[in-house]
Structure formats: C-alpha cells, structure tokens
Amino acid sequence: GSPENLESLLLMMANTYIYEDQQAIKVEEIAEPVLLPDVGVWHPLAPKVFEDSAEYNAWYDTEHAPSLGLNPKTAPTVGVILQKSHINTRDECHYTSLIQELEARGSRVICIYSGGLDFSQPVDEFFRQGAVVPDSVINLTGFALVGGPASQDHDKAVETLQRLNRPYIC
C-alpha cells in the first residue's frame, strides 16, 4: 500500500491493540484509505491518476505542456508503460527521471500502468483507442507486455503490438 495507507493502518492497529478502549488517537484524525485505480494514466506532476486518456490529455495539453514550453500539437508523443506497485508505494523516481528527460528533449509523454501483468488492455484502451496515439512506446515494467517472469503470452503481446503499430522498446 501507499505510505499514507500504511500509516492509517498502524494508527488504527495502535488504537485497537495498544491503547485498547482508550482510543488515544481520534478515529476522525486517521485518514481514510486512498485507492488507486487498477489501470490508469499517471504523471508525477498531475493532480491525480486519470482513468481516461482524454482527460489526461486535456490536463497535459492545457496545463503541463505550456509550463514546459511544449507545443502538444507538434511534439512527438512517447507512451510509457509502468507498474502500479512503484506508483502506489512512491518508489517511482526512475519513472520520474525518464519522464523529465523525455520532456526536456521536447517530447510529450503519456504513462499508463496496470496492477496486473497483462498490459494489453491498457495499451489498447489508452494508446491505441486513446485521445492521442503515441509515436513510440517504452515498457519500463521489466516484464513482457503480457505475463510476468513465470509465464508469458507472446501471441497476445504480438497481436497487441501489431494493432498498435508503433516502435516498442522493452
């Protein structure tokens, strides 16, 4: 879970098992759990995780790109595939570094993630059918497009990438 969710868990456990009936920590002061969608579009400077690429692109094009001096109509778009676990635990510095480097070199970036190991659905939903189709795709998950280290579905991955029809780096 996220650092905030872990903190809330520990505070609730302390109230229940350490302070027992004393409720030393006011329940209303313990933050409610924050859940990330299982798949989404993420950017380290965005105000939230987007569940819709059109909404992400609207934010990127009207708020973020102008602050970078990027023209979203002419900048090449790089799609990046990420793992949800790194975003959720805030262990995403390597993602942020690549995004910033790509943007510094004049690229528009759209990053998608999934909680599972089959990235074909988010690729189809956000890249192929999305508001802006990327010019190229980088997979930073460390895994195949479909499947983890124990099993992979190469045929499904090939079908997904053929439909996308963009350069792909893994």
Side-chain angles (χ1 to χ4, degrees), residues 7 15 19 102 113 117 121 136 138 148 157:
E7 178 182 343
N15 256 0
Y19 299 116
L102 290 168
Y113 72 82
L117 293 175
Q121 181 265 330
S136 62
I138 301 171

Side-chain angles (χ1 to χ4, degrees), residues 9-28:
L9 171 69
L10 292 173
L11 291 172
M12 289 170 56
M13 289 176 62
N15 256 0
T16 304
Y17 298 107
I18 296 172
Y19 299 116
E20 294 182 22
D21 296 326
Q22 300 169 26
Q23 293 287 310
I25 303 163
K26 295 178 182 169
V27 175
E28 58 273 3

Side-chain angles (χ1 to χ4, degrees), residues 1 14 16-17 33 40 43 47 55 77 83 130 136 140 145:
T16 304
Y17 298 107
H43 190 284
E55 185 182 8
T77 300
Q83 280 187 286
S136 62
L140 289 184
L145 185 67

Side-chain angles (χ1 to χ4, degrees), residues 2 21 26 35 39 81 90 126 135 143 150 167 169:
S2 70
D21 296 326
K26 295 178 182 169
L35 301 176
V39 296
I81 303 171
R90 300 235 169 78
F126 297 124
D135 299 299
F143 297 112
I169 299 171

Side-chain angles (χ1 to χ4, degrees), residues 3-155:
E4 294 81 9
N5 287 350
L6 291 173
E7 178 182 343
S8 292
L9 171 69
L10 292 173
L11 291 172
M12 289 170 56
M13 289 176 62
N15 256 0
T16 304
Y17 298 107
I18 296 172
Y19 299 116
E20 294 182 22
D21 296 326
Q22 300 169 26
Q23 293 287 310
I25 303 163
K26 295 178 182 169
V27 175
E28 58 273 3
E29 292 178 7
I30 300 173
E32 289 291 321
V34 177
L35 301 176
L36 281 179
D38 195 44
V39 296
V41 183
W42 175 83
H43 190 284
L45 298 178
K48 65 177 191 168
V49 170
F50 298 90
E51 296 183 71
D52 173 287
S53 61
E55 185 182 8
Y56 171 81
N57 287 316
W59 167 79
Y60 197 97
D61 294 352
T62 61
E63 294 183 42
H64 189 60
S67 72
L68 299 171
L70 285 178
N71 180 344
K73 290 181 173 52
T74 59
T77 300
V78 178
V80 184
I81 303 171
L82 313 172
Q83 280 187 286
K84 178 183 177 184
S85 60
H86 289 293
I87 296 164
N88 196 37
T89 59
R90 300 235 169 78
D91 178 28
E92 83 290 338
C93 292
H94 55 303
Y95 293 164
T96 300
S97 295
L98 178 70
I99 293 162
Q100 289 177 332
E101 186 64 29
L102 290 168
E103 290 175 336
R105 292 175 181 259
S107 294
R108 194 177 174 288
V109 180
I110 178 170
C111 301
I112 63 170
Y113 72 82
S114 174
L117 293 175
D118 182 348
F119 296 92
S120 62
Q121 181 265 330
V123 164
D124 280 339
E125 180 181 344
F126 297 124
F127 288 168
R128 200 170 64 79
Q129 302 163 0
V132 175
V133 178
D135 299 299
S136 62
V137 176
I138 301 171
N139 181 343
L140 289 184
T141 67
F143 297 112
L145 185 67
V146 181
S151 68
Q152 294 144 20
D153 188 339
H154 298 291
D155 294 336

